[in-house]
């Protein structure tokens, strides 16, 4: 049995320590308590404050800096004594992304970056004996940016209020995690260097299996959940053979079809790998040269900087034409690949993965996913309203249709949303036609077809009051409610009186699902599983309600338009 040591701290270094959220509200005051727990690699010291104990920056893997760059992750070397785990670990190296202030650090994280980034964070109501559900969060930011240490993902309140153990994970991203050297000629020792970022996540889940009992968690009841890119990672895990048995429920929120329904083909991953190596002047079989490059130069080549690592570098492969390789920022192109081993097939195309058929699934999206959260200078943020002509033009651009079809779409949306403004409608139409919405439908429909485990669908349409309402129901808007810390995330949700009641209901549903594979609880209407006939969906706003196929007329109309555009009858 793991030994625990408790050290009361009065006037020492931890006394009076307080965790302060982005909004400035202090979560813990006065004396704190140091807590020491045994893990497989050694003892770690965390901090107990305000009803929960936190362990931050816990190593679950060894450094991936040279000479282990672009190599499979391995467990950390054991340490002697007690290791402090009181601060967040570094983020994976990543390009800079500028977000609107209301997004905060949700898709980027903050703090230093390092190739010694295989760290996780744990929040628990109590260490030692206990069999609490474990909720492992995979951060967003696509597969190129982000951190499990973002303010939005602080697990303190979920652990304190809902009696669960929360784990958030950092892993390798972009080219550091998804350069497919294994698909190139002369790979040599790099032949296993494929899908490394996802394999990091599996290593983190193995850490949970081996260690979480010491933190009061049940390794036999693990839920993996994630949003945006984290939803894609969760989707990939349901199709990942080596992850089987490491988790038992899955929650996929607002994710992208090209990194959740499908993965890269080997042809695509090889092409982008060749383009990246060409920028660095590295020829086939000379991959050891990658170990000698500064991290900054690798990032420069990734995003298409100037100089020898820039986007105008020539393709140096023997016999290649004297033309530039793939131009511009390549960071979006480094994602999981169907390699025949770690990922045998696309996750949800043409069908859901059969070997995870018995894992219950909860999925959904938010109403106005298309709000330009990266476009800090986008005219959207200074536009309060548009006239009918501008609405028609926006719908035409979103759907690639003519005037008559745009008018037909507007009429349907107007009928079912009579109080919506023209700008509301334009934003919702663009969102309904986007992959963040349609991928969730595809995943749910194909999972249901297996008829082995329930699927629960949600639709979130609570609108933030910020920027005179322009923030609307932006991508990531459900997260403060899922993590039950709306006061710490006023920068996104404001300070209205209705926030906490919705957070109570939504966080309790996520925890109920983690506990038993069913999100129902006394604070919600009865939530039926999703079927392709009824399409039962929990609509989350100030008064949650269960609706069969909400806005189904719009959904079917846009589906018809997309099929016609693609030549499908």
């Amino acid at each position: 049995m793991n030994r625990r040591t408790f050290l009361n701290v009065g006037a020492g270094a931890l006394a009076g320590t307080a965790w302060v959220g982005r909004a400035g509200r202090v979560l813990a005051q006065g004396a704190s308590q140091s807590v020491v727990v045994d893990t497989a690699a050694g003892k770690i010291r965390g901090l107990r404050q305000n009803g929960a104990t936190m362990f931050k920056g816990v190593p679950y893997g060894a450094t991936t800096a040279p000479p282990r760059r672009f190599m499979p992750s391995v467990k950390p070397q054991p340490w002697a004594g007690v290791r402090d785990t009181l601060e967040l670990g570094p983020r994976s190296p990543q390009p800079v992304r500028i977000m609107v202030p209301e997004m905060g650090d949700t898709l980027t994280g903050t703090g230093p970056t390092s190739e010694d980034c295989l760290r996780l964070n744990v929040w628990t109501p109590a260490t030692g004996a206990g069999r609490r559900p474990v909720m492992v969060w995979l951060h967003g930011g696509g597969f190129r940016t982000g951190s499990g240490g973002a303010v939005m993902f602080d697990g303190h309140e979920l652990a304190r209020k809902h009696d669960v153990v929360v784990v958030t994970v950092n892993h390798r991203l972009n080219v550091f995690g998804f350069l497919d050297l294994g698909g190139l000629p002369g790979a040599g020792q790099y032949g296993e260097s494929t899908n490394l970022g996802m394999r990091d996540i599996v290593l983190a889940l193995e850490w949970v299996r081996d260690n979480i009992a010491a933190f009061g968690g049940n390794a036999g009841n693990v839920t993996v959940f994630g949003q945006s890119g984290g939803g894609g990672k969760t989707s990939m895990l349901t199709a990942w053979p080596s992850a089987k048995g490491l988790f038992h429920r899955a929650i996929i929120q607002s994710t992208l079809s090209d990194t959740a329904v499908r993965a890269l083909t080997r042809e695509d991953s090889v092409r982008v790998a060749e383009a990246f190596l060409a920028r660095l002047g590295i020829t086939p079989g000379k991959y050891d040269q990658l170990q000698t490059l500064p991290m900054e130069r690798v990032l420069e080549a990734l995003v298409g900087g100037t100089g020898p690592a820039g986007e105008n570098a020539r393709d140096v492969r023997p016999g290649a034409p004297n033309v530039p390789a793939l131009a511009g920022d390549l960071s979006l192109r480094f994602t999981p690949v169907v390699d025949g081993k770690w990922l045998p097939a696309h996750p949800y195309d043409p069908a859901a993965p059969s070997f995870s058929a018995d894992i219950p699934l909860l999925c959904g999206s938010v109403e106005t996913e298309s709000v330009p959260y990266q476009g800090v200078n986008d005219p959207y943020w200074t536009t309060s309203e548009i006239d009918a002509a501008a609405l028609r033009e926006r719908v035409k651009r979103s759907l690639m249709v003519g005037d008559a079809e745009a008018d037909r779409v507007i009429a349907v949306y107007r009928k079912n949303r009579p109080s919506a403004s023209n700008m509301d409608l334009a934003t919702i139409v663009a969102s309904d036609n986007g992959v963040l919405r349609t991928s969730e439908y595809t995943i749910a429909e194909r999972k249901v077809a297996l008829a082995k485990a329930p699927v629960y669908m949600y639709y979130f349409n609570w609108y933030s009051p910020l920027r005179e309402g322009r923030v609307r129901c932006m991508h990531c808007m459900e997260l403060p409610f899922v993590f039950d810390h709306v006061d710490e995330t006023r920068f996104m949700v404001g300070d209205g009186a209705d926030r906490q009641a919705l957070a109570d209901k939504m966080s309790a549903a996520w925890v109920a699902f983690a506990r038993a594979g069913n999100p129902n609880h006394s604070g919600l209407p009865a939530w039926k599983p999703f079927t392709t006939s009824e399409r039962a969906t929990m609509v989350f706003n100030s008064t949650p309600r269960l609706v069969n196929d909400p806005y189904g007329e719009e959904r079917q109309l846009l589906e018809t338009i997309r099929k016609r555009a693609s030549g499908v009858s």
Side-chain angles (χ1 to χ4, degrees), residues 36 95 100 107 136 148 190 199 232 300 389 438 475 501 503 509 512 517 566:
V36 176
V100 296
L107 300 181
V136 178
Y190 300 99
R199 290 158 65 186
E300 182 188 47
T438 58
H475 188 56
S566 64

Side-chain angles (χ1 to χ4, degrees), residues 275-294:
F276 172 76
L277 293 171
R279 292 182 176 189
L280 293 169
I282 295 175
T283 54
K286 303 293 186 181
Y287 309 125
D288 281 343
Q289 294 175 19
L290 290 166
Q291 303 290 357
T292 67
L293 299 173

